[in-house]
Amino acid sequence: MDWARILAFVTGMVDQELLARNEYLAAENRILKAQLKGRLKLSDAERATLGEIGHRLGRQVLGEVANVARPETILAWYRKLVARTFDGSKARRSPGRPRIKEEVEQLIVRMAKENRDWRYDRIAGALANLGYKVCDQTVCNVLQRHALPRAPERKRTTTWPAFIRTHLALLAGTDFLTAAEVLTLRGLVTHYVLFFIHLESRRVDIAGITVHPDERWMQQMARNVTMEGCGALRECRYLLHDRDTKYTQSFPAIHQAGSSRWCCPRAART
């Protein structure tokens, strides 16, 4: 028996059957597509499957059997599939060292703002005491990102809120309030009340009440509040007041002479 002839005959029958099946499926796909209205919507997985099979068939065969899309479109789906397979953009990192943790960065900014004379190495040393290993160059980079200048510039550019927070225990404020006008034989008279307030404790001390807050009276009030042991300003070093003309030039001078710890800054604006 000639086995080669028998094998060729069986193989030919199989090939004929496969060709018939493919011809039937192609005809059926054309008929189904003709009955569909609108564009056929495919998922990404379906596009990937058709693209992978279409790549194996080739452009010429796809032109004969493809009905869902043009051969160029199906081959483009395959190229996208390959691109996604070898895409490493999600694992790509930015150049240079990784940035420090957000909590450490906020701690560096807080230290720089609250200690305006601390240099980079001083901040790095303070962080080391807290268990964070950060070099001075990292501290420099963090402060530059937050637009904070170097230590000398930070110290010279202290803002009012920062100054008040730092010296809250040594700050006092003073102002006048007017009591209700009193009817006398000379007519209505306004009484002026001079008070002092310690900013940290919010303790208010009434220094005196007068109808005429002239320079002599103001000098006496200054002596009273700076008395050693019992004056209202014995624990304070800085006094804040507005530009009221009742605060004469001798008023801060007496304060400075009355206590060695006293230093009266420039009057705050109203």
Side-chain angles (χ1 to χ4, degrees), residues 172-175 194-196 207 217-228 231-234 236-241 246-265:
T174 180
D175 203 354
L194 176 65
F195 69 93
F196 294 85
W217 186 82
M218 291 295 295
Q219 291 175 353
Q220 184 60 46
M221 294 300 102
R223 297 188 189 96
N224 294 343
V225 296
T226 56
M227 290 180 61
E228 186 69 26
L233 302 181
R234 61 186 181 278
C236 299
R237 185 177 180 184
Y238 301 98
L239 179 65
L240 304 178
H241 59 79
K246 290 188 286 292
Y247 296 105
T248 59
Q249 294 182 356
S250 59
F251 184 73
I254 295 177
H255 286 168
Q256 295 175 7
S259 175
S260 59
R261 296 174 300 170
W262 183 264
C263 178
C264 185

Side-chain angles (χ1 to χ4, degrees), residues 123-136:
I123 297 177
L127 290 172
N129 294 333
L130 298 177
Y132 300 104
K133 293 186 64 177
V134 178
C135 66
D136 53 354

Side-chain angles (χ1 to χ4, degrees), residues 2 36 39 41 50 72 76 80 96 98 100 102 109 169 188 196 202 209 226 248 251:
D2 192 352
L36 292 176
R39 186 178 180 181
K41 296 182 179 180
L50 293 177
E72 293 79 6
K80 290 182 179 179
I100 61 176
E102 182 66 23
V109 174
L188 294 175
F196 294 85
R202 300 302 187 192
I209 304 175
T226 56
T248 59
F251 184 73

Side-chain angles (χ1 to χ4, degrees), residues 7-233:
L7 182 61
F9 178 75
V10 173
T11 305
M13 291 181 60
V14 173
D15 290 342
Q16 292 296 327
E17 184 180 356
L18 289 176
L19 290 174
R21 288 186 180 186
N22 292 338
E23 185 179 357
Y24 172 80
L25 292 175
E28 186 180 55
N29 288 339
R30 286 193 296 269
I31 294 172
L32 292 176
K33 183 182 178 182
Q35 295 181 4
L36 292 176
K37 294 182 180 180
R39 186 178 180 181
L40 186 62
K41 296 182 179 180
L42 300 175
S43 65
D44 292 339
E46 292 170 342
R47 292 192 186 95
T49 301
L50 293 177
E52 194 274 332
I53 299 174
H55 173 71
R56 287 189 277 125
L57 290 177
R59 183 186 301 271
Q60 184 176 357
V61 179
L62 280 175
E64 298 175 359
V65 300
N67 294 305
V68 176
R70 295 183 301 173
E72 293 79 6
T73 304
I74 297 176
L75 294 177
W77 293 344
Y78 176 76
R79 289 193 296 270
K80 290 182 179 179
L81 173 64
V82 175
R84 286 199 301 269
T85 303
F86 295 97
D87 184 15
S89 60
K90 294 182 179 179
R92 189 178 302 138
R93 297 180 179 178
S94 58
R97 295 182 178 179
R99 295 182 60 173
I100 61 176
K101 295 181 179 180
E102 182 66 23
E103 58 177 336
V104 181
E105 182 163 342
Q106 295 300 326
L107 187 58
I108 292 174
V109 174
R110 180 181 175 184
M111 286 184 176
K113 289 183 177 180
E114 294 183 357
N115 305 277
R116 306 186 72 85
D117 58 341
W118 281 16
R119 299 181 180 273
Y120 302 146
D121 52 352
R122 177 72 180 278
I123 297 177
L127 290 172
N129 294 333
L130 298 177
Y132 300 104
K133 293 186 64 177
V134 178
C135 66
D136 53 354
Q137 183 59 46
T138 301
V139 175
C140 175
N141 297 336
V142 171
L143 298 186
Q144 287 180 354
R145 283 199 296 268
H146 291 267
L148 292 175
R150 298 169 62 91
E153 287 76 11
R154 291 203 311 272
K155 189 175 182 180
R156 287 195 294 266
T157 57
T158 304
T159 60
W160 257 131
F163 177 84
I164 292 176
R165 281 197 308 270
T166 306
H167 303 86
L168 195 61
L170 304 176
L171 274 171
T174 180
D175 203 354
F176 283 91
L177 61 87
T178 56
E181 294 184 345
V182 179
L183 181 61
T184 64
L185 296 177
R186 299 181 179 180
L188 294 175
V189 177
T190 302
H191 288 76
Y192 296 91
V193 180
L194 176 65
F195 69 93
F196 294 85
I197 178 172
H198 186 251
L199 298 187
E200 184 180 44
S201 63
R202 300 302 187 192
R203 185 187 72 248
V204 178
D205 294 281
I206 303 297
I209 304 175
T210 183
V211 178
H212 302 291
D214 53 12
E215 183 173 6
R216 182 177 179 181
W217 186 82
M218 291 295 295
Q219 291 175 353
Q220 184 60 46
M221 294 300 102
R223 297 188 189 96
N224 294 343
V225 296
T226 56
M227 290 180 61
E228 186 69 26
C230 60
L233 302 181

